[in-house]
């Protein structure tokens, strides 16, 4: 670059020196992704959003250009992101500003303001829109078959005999298919579990909790099964796991992957009955110090119980969703980024304490490559303060409001970015589901969400006397990595409650023994997928106002850390979603009772069974205005009706409007015709209404249904059809013989005239031409040319 040029004199022509045409072409597409451009002297900086957020810096001094970016290419030279920053500067220098923050002494920490990313449509639909329950079942079935392909055919036959039946056929894929069918037989699999003694069952329970794969050096299974008591029947634990494999309750390690031990992968685990069940002899196992004695009991006193109400939660979700639709709300402005993070990459993306960074700078510790122990404050909540004041009354408190908004984002019902607006395809699909199916969607989204976590709620609580610390001297492990790890942790922890039967009380002290065995230290667990790194940034919990790592062996420490996390999970999201009832002794959570959690977690059902909340639903159905009818319009409070009631209405009516407090249906002729075509009779429709709706069928609706039913079949109108005319009485029979005409036939008017769908014409014409005929086609109803 010529020495006479500075930031104020460069132009686009000069940019073709440092960057090639490909980089500049890509930079053009990145111009609208630049956030918070800043100029400081001879330097310009910004954030650029692509798949990740990149911190970009460009400096011109003494005829030299320096460009840096946090993308892989930008660490070694000019990249497309720095080219985009240069183009933005040349074209619109007025966009560039600068700012900073100070502490109580007036000393300033230079920061760069950051805007929330703009609203954009999701790149692909969420899982709940992409697959039906039947399709998910089929995916798991194929996965189970793939696992069994690694088992020898003789072992598969032995597995069948062990379970009391004989596999037929000589082809392995056919034998595998039979084994899968029998594994999916609930009664047979339950009987297979019950044939084993308590020691085998506790090993089976341990295998399910650990998941897979297990490695030869992994002794977690031995440690976990010791919670229930010492195994005495066999010296080696592999003997137990091999017996379980022979019965089809576990998969041999060699069938999964090299150097793997026997395990229970998820496709198999979801087929097993509740294992933490006294009927199976696992609970209680052995009492005494350090031994779990989980007992499913009759329950606490009724006055101590807080029953879950999923219908109330859906009410709150719909109110928030509709409010955001009516008033698009921006995301909270992100925390400004410290300017120095362009030099210290270990700061990029992490939340930080400005005063702590100022102190580190005064102490001379803000240097590239130097160890720098910093606090990780919880990320700011999603909503700005003014939105919280407006929306919190809809949910009862700020914590639940932020959870609901994050949950709607995770389910992709809200579009990513700011302002927050519903994504119309997902919104419409969600509102057309009945309340319990909506709960199923939100529950599965919660299980794996990474944009909200129980840890951040704990760290915001002044009574939680611990803080998260990390070494910012390394960029190996980022904030997004931590969020992903915490999501994985929740996913694994939920395996424990997902192994309990529904509708039975469990003591929290008994649950704690299991959680403690699986998650002994906050930073590590028995699951390889949740191990915070012991190198790099090394995130860890420390005492407030200190760097000391908690001694988890010290009495009470686990309860104050992991114990509070677990209680936050159960008394927070699981209770809000209607999946867990709670019982308290004063302010202390003593018992919990699960509803539908296992089926949702293991993807066994699209929605929890509504029977657990019949009393709550009955009370809502009895409320005034739960169902109102006016002419052919039926208005209902969505959470006041069962799924079957909504099913009755969806079968004969169209949903015209869906709001947080009401759905409005209108009786619809096409919907009724579809019901009639599927074989539903008028009598069945009336009976379904009387059975599932709390009010009699209005006379106007009954009369219209009766008129449609009496007229059904008398006259049929078909849209988009084609008439085929034949030249003689034999051509129709010949066409049937050489084409797929019968698959498309709507009506045979005469031996020389038939009606087919318009969409079938091109295919039939090609079939006729392939058979040597020359059919003629024409639009309209008057045929001037000779018929075929």
């Amino acid at each position: 670059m010529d020495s006479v040029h500075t930031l104020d004199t460069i132009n686009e022509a000069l940019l073709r020196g440092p960057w090639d045409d490909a980089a500049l072409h890509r930079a053009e597409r990145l111009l609208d992704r630049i956030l918070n451009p800043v100029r400081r002297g001879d330097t310009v900086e910004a954030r650029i959003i692509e798949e990740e957020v990149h911190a970009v810096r460009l400096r011109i001094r003494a005829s030299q250009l320096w460009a840096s970016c946090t993308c892989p290419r930008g660490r070694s030279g000019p990249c497309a992101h720095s080219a985009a920053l240069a183009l933005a500067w040349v074209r619109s220098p007025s966009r560039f500003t600068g700012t900073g923050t100070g502490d109580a002494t007036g000393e300033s920490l230079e920061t760069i303001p950051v805007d929330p990313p703009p609203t954009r449509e999701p790149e692909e639909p969420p899982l709940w829109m992409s697959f039906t329950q039947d399709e998910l079942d089929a995916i798991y079935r194929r996965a189970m078959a793939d696992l069994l392909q690694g088992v020898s055919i003789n072992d598969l036959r032995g597995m069948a005999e062990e379970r009391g039946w004989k596999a037929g056929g000589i082809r392995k894929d056919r034998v595998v298919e039979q084994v899968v069918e029998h594994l999916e037989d609930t009664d047979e699999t339950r009987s297979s579990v019950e044939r084993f003694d308590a020691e085998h069952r506790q090993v089976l329970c341990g295998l399910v909790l650990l998941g897979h794969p297990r490695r030869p050096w992994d002794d977690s299974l031995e440690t976990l099964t010791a919670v229930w008591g010492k195994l005495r029947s066999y010296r080696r634990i592999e003997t137990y796991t091999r017996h379980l494999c022979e019965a089809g309750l576990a998969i041999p390690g060699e069938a999964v992957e090299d150097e793997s031990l026997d395990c229970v992968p998820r496709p198999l685990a979801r087929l097993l009955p509740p294992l933490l069940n006294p009927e199976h002899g696992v609970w209680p196992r052995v009492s005494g110090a350090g031994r779990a004695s989980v007992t499913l009991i009759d329950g606490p006193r009724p006055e101590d119980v807080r029953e879950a109400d999923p219908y109330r939660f859906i009410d709150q979700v719909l109110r928030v969703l509709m409010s955001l639709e009516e008033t698009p709300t921006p995301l909270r402005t992100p925390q400004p980024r410290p300017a120095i993070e362009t030099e210290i990459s270990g700061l990029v993306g992490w939340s930080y304490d400005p005063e702590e960074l100022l102190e580190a700078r005064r102490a001379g510790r803000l240097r590239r490559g130097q160890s720098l122990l910093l606090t990780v404050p919880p990320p700011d909540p999603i909503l700005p303060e003014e939105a919280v004041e407006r929306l919190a009354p809809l949910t009862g408190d700020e914590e639940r409001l932020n959870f609901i908004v994050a949950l709607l984002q995770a389910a992709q019902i809200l579009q990513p970015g700011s302002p927050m607006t519903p994504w119309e395809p997902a919104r419409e699909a969600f509102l057309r589901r009945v309340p319990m199916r909506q709960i199923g969607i939100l529950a599965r989204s919660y299980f794996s969400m990474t944009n909200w976590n129980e840890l951040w709620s704990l760290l915001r609580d002044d009574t939680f006397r611990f803080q998260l610390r990390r070494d910012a001297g390394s960029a190996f492990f980022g904030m997004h990595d931590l969020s992903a790890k915490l999501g994985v942790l929740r996913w694994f922890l939920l395996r424990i409650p997902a192994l309990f039967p529904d509708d039975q009380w469990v003591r929290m002290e008994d649950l704690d023994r299991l959680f403690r065995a699986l998650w002994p230290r906050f930073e590590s667990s028995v699951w390889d997928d949740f191990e915070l790194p012991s190198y790099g940034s090394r995130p860890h919990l420390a005492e407030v106002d200190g760097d000391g790592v908690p001694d988890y062996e010290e009495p009470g420490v686990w309860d104050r850390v992991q114990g509070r996390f677990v209680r936050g999970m159960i008394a927070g999201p699981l209770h809000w979603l209607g999946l867990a009832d709670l019982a308290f002794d004063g302010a202390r959570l003593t018992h919990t009772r699960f509803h539908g959690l296992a089926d949702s977690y293991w993807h066994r059902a699209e929605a929890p069974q509504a029977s657990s909340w019949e009393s709550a639903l009955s009370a809502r159905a009895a409320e005034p205005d739960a169902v109102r009818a006016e002419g052919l319009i039926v208005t209902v409070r969505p959470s006041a009706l069962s799924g079957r009631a909504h099913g009755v209405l969806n079968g004969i009516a169209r949903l015209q409007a869906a709001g947080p407090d009401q759905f409005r249906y209108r009786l619809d002729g096409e919907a009724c015709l579809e019901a009639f075509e599927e074989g539903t009779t008028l009598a069945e429709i009336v009976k379904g209404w009387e059975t599932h709706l709390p009010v009699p069928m209005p006379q106007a609706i009954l009369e219209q249904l009766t008129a449609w039913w009496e007229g059904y079949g008398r006259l049929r109108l078909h849209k988009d059809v084609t008439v085929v005319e034949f030249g003689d009485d034999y051509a129709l029979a010949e066409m049937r013989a050489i084409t797929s005409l019968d698959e498309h036939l709507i009506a045979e008017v005469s031996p020389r005239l038939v009606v087919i769908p318009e969409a079938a014409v091109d295919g039939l014409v090609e079939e006729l031409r392939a058979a040597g005929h020359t059919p003629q086609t024409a639009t309209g109803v008057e045929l001037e040319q000779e018929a075929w």
Side-chain angles (χ1 to χ4, degrees):
M1 181 175 288
D2 196 304
S3 59
V4 301
H5 291 290
T6 66
L7 272 179
D8 297 309
T9 62
I10 61 171
N11 54 50
E12 287 194 38
L14 293 173
L15 301 184
R16 298 191 176 278
W19 292 280
D20 58 24
D21 290 343
L24 290 170
H25 179 72
R26 184 179 169 200
E28 293 279 359
R29 301 197 304 269
L30 296 173
L31 289 176
D32 61 351
R33 295 174 176 263
I34 297 176
L35 298 178
N36 303 111
V38 178
R39 175 181 179 173
R40 294 185 182 85
D42 54 12
T43 302
V44 289
E45 302 170 350
R47 292 287 183 277
I48 296 182
I49 300 177
E50 205 169 15
E51 293 181 357
E52 298 179 358
V53 179
H54 300 290
V56 191
R57 192 178 192 187
L58 191 66
R59 181 183 183 188
I60 299 177
R61 175 183 290 180
S63 75
Q64 296 292 319
L65 178 145
W66 292 269
S68 67
C69 179
T70 53
C71 75
R73 181 178 179 86
R75 295 190 180 105
S76 59
C79 62
H81 303 110
S82 56
L85 180 61
L87 276 177
W89 166 255
V90 168
R91 294 178 182 178
S92 305
S94 60
R95 291 178 57 190
F96 288 68
T97 58
T99 189
T101 62
D103 65 0
T105 67
E107 186 176 355
S108 175
L109 176 70
E110 197 172 23
T111 60
I112 303 171
V114 180
D115 291 329
T119 303
R120 58 182 175 83
E121 287 192 0
E123 295 179 358
E124 56 185 26
L127 180 68
W128 62 269
M129 287 181 65
S130 303
F131 300 98
T132 65
Q133 184 61 44
D134 288 342
E135 289 170 336
L136 278 178
D137 290 339
I139 290 171
Y140 278 112
R141 191 175 298 117
R142 288 195 296 271
M144 190 69 246
D146 290 343
L147 288 166
L148 292 176
Q149 286 291 346
V151 181
S152 72
I153 192 168
N154 288 334
D155 287 344
L156 291 173
R157 294 185 185 280
M159 190 183 298
E161 293 177 4
E162 180 70 20
R163 295 170 68 99
W165 58 278
K166 186 177 180 64
I170 60 174
R171 291 177 50 186
K172 187 174 183 180
D173 57 350
R174 175 58 186 141
V175 174
V176 166
E177 182 181 341
Q178 295 172 65
V179 172
V180 172
E181 290 175 358
H182 280 266
L183 287 174
E184 292 178 334
D185 185 323
T186 303
D187 292 335
E188 180 184 311
T189 298
R190 182 182 296 275
S191 297
S192 182
V193 172
E194 292 173 346
R195 281 197 292 270
F196 281 103
D197 60 23
E199 290 190 359
H200 281 85
R201 294 175 196 169
Q202 70 189 69
V203 172
L204 174 60
C205 188
L207 287 173
V208 175
L209 289 172
L210 292 175
H212 84 295
R214 294 170 53 241
R215 303 301 183 188
W217 55 85
D218 185 359
D219 62 355
S220 298
L221 182 59
E222 290 88 337
T223 302
L224 183 55
T225 54
V227 173
W228 294 292
K230 184 177 181 180
L231 300 176
R232 302 181 182 278
S233 299
Y234 301 97
R235 184 174 61 86
R236 301 180 69 248
I237 202 166
E238 289 77 12
T239 305
Y240 293 93
T241 63
R242 187 56 52 172
H243 292 164
L244 294 171
C245 290
E246 291 168 355
L249 300 177
I251 299 296
E254 60 270 17
V256 179
E257 57 185 66
D258 293 340
E259 296 187 359
S260 180
L261 300 176
D262 301 341
C263 59
V264 180
R266 183 177 176 83
L268 177 56
R270 68 190 294 268
L271 303 177
L272 300 178
L275 296 177
L276 303 183
N277 190 323
E279 295 177 1
H280 296 166
V282 176
W283 305 102
R285 180 64 182 100
V286 178
S287 60
R291 305 293 173 82
S293 57
V294 174
T295 308
L296 298 170
I297 59 177
D298 292 336
R301 298 177 304 174
E303 59 268 26
D304 298 328
V305 172
R306 297 182 194 171
E307 291 189 343
D309 186 351
Y311 301 100
R312 177 170 177 263
F313 184 72
I314 287 298
D315 279 346
Q316 295 170 344
V317 168
L318 293 178
R319 288 191 179 101
V320 170
L321 179 61
M322 298 306 169
S323 181
L324 293 175
E325 184 174 19
E326 293 171 4
T327 308
T329 302
L331 296 171
R332 184 186 292 258
T333 301
Q335 185 179 29
R337 302 312 307 167
I340 198 172
E341 76 178 12
T342 57
E343 299 177 13
I344 302 177
S345 56
L347 296 174
V348 174
W350 285 92
S351 58
Y352 65 93
D353 180 345
E355 293 186 5
E356 192 176 40
L357 284 184
L358 280 171
E359 177 60 32
R361 188 174 69 180
R362 283 193 291 265
R365 292 185 289 115
L366 283 182
R367 297 177 183 174
R368 186 194 301 268
Q370 180 173 331
S371 179
L372 180 62
L373 199 62
L374 294 177
T375 302
V376 182
D380 290 332
I382 295 172
L383 295 170
E385 292 297 334
E386 58 274 16
V388 171
E389 293 179 6
R390 174 169 57 89
L391 297 173
L394 302 179
T395 64
D397 60 72
E398 181 178 348
E399 181 63 30
R400 192 179 309 198
L401 170 63
N402 279 296
F403 172 73
I404 286 174
V405 173
L407 192 60
L408 289 170
Q409 289 178 327
Q412 293 182 222
I413 298 167
L414 288 178
Q415 298 183 114
S418 182
M420 286 176 286
T421 56
W423 185 42
E424 190 55 34
R427 171 197 174 277
E428 182 178 352
F430 182 75
L431 291 179
R432 288 188 178 276
R433 263 97 168 158
V434 297
M436 293 317 300
R437 288 194 175 185
Q438 292 172 339
I439 285 291
I441 290 168
L442 298 177
R444 291 184 184 182
S445 300
Y446 160 66
F447 296 157
S448 58
M449 68 191 298
T450 60
N451 59 333
W452 183 94
N453 194 268
E454 293 80 357
L455 176 62
W456 308 134
S457 299
L458 275 181
L459 292 174
R460 293 189 189 104
D461 190 336
D462 292 337
T463 66
F464 187 68
R465 303 304 298 164
F466 299 90
Q467 58 187 348
L468 190 64
R469 303 278 281 171
R470 70 182 186 93
D471 186 355
S474 169
F476 167 77
F477 191 83
M479 187 78 170
H480 63 284
D481 296 310
L482 177 61
S483 296
K485 286 284 188 181
L486 291 173
V488 166
L489 172 65
R490 182 199 303 117
W491 176 255
F492 280 120
L493 291 176
L494 286 168
R495 283 175 178 262
I496 294 177
L499 290 185
F500 278 95
D502 282 347
D503 307 324
Q504 298 192 47
W505 286 104
V506 185
R507 287 195 297 257
M508 286 302 303
E509 63 186 80
D510 294 328
L511 274 178
D512 284 346
R513 293 192 181 99
L514 262 184
F515 281 116
R516 192 189 303 266
L518 290 161
W519 189 24
R521 298 177 62 252
F522 178 82
E523 296 79 14
S524 64
S525 72
V526 297
W527 303 293
D528 290 342
D529 285 344
F530 180 73
E531 293 285 341
L532 296 184
S534 57
Y535 51 91
S537 59
R538 298 189 292 278
H540 63 277
L541 281 185
E543 299 280 353
V544 173
D545 301 325
D547 293 329
V549 177
D551 181 1
Y552 294 101
E553 298 298 324
E554 181 181 331
V557 172
W558 190 94
D559 296 324
R560 297 198 303 271
V561 180
Q562 293 99 310
R564 286 192 61 174
F565 185 103
V566 168
R567 279 156 178 74
M569 184 173 67
I570 293 174
L574 292 185
H575 179 63
W576 298 337
L577 285 160
L579 304 179
D581 292 336
L582 312 174
F584 291 84
D585 181 2
R588 184 173 65 91
L589 179 63
T590 59
H591 303 76
T592 187
R593 177 174 59 187
F594 303 113
H595 306 294
L597 172 59
D599 284 347
S600 294
Y601 181 81
W602 296 112
H603 289 178
R604 294 180 187 136
E606 189 174 8
Q609 294 294 324
S611 58
S612 298
W613 302 278
E614 283 182 352
S615 59
L617 185 58
S618 298
R620 287 174 176 271
E623 293 174 357
D625 299 329
V627 179
R628 303 191 312 276
E630 183 176 350
L632 302 182
I633 302 292
V634 181
T635 303
V636 304
R637 186 180 304 111
S639 61
L641 298 185
S642 68
R644 292 184 179 181
H646 283 279
V648 170
L649 293 171
N650 282 321
I652 61 174
R654 297 299 186 199
L655 183 63
Q656 287 193 320
D661 297 314
Q662 68 176 28
F663 282 10
R664 186 169 70 248
Y665 293 93
R666 181 180 180 85
L667 192 68
D668 183 79
E670 289 189 5
C672 291
L673 177 60
E674 291 176 10
F676 296 159
E677 294 281 2
E678 292 171 359
T680 306
T681 66
L682 174 63
E684 290 171 337
I685 293 173
V686 173
K687 183 178 180 181
W689 183 293
E690 294 174 347
T691 302
H692 300 297
L693 276 88
V695 298
M697 179 178 285
Q699 188 63 28
I701 292 178
L702 178 59
E703 290 176 357
Q704 183 63 75
L705 285 172
T706 302
W708 284 339
W709 176 252
E710 291 175 350
Y712 173 64
R714 293 184 180 180
L715 177 65
R716 298 290 182 90
L717 296 178
H718 297 278
K719 296 180 179 180
D720 302 322
V721 299
T722 293
V723 175
V724 181
E725 185 180 7
F726 301 94
D728 56 49
D729 293 343
Y730 305 103
L732 173 58
E734 182 181 356
M735 185 172 178
R736 279 177 157 167
I738 63 175
T739 71
S740 59
L741 174 65
D742 284 337
E743 297 177 12
H744 308 288
L745 199 62
I746 293 176
E748 183 177 339
V749 181
S750 72
R752 298 191 182 192
L753 198 68
V754 298
V755 181
I756 62 172
E758 183 181 351
V761 171
D762 291 343
L764 290 172
V765 167
E766 290 301 320
E767 292 177 29
L768 287 170
R769 288 173 177 165
H773 296 281
T774 55
Q776 301 290 326
T777 61
T779 58
V781 295
E782 295 183 4
L783 300 179
E784 297 182 357
Q785 54 218 36
E786 187 174 334
W788 175 70

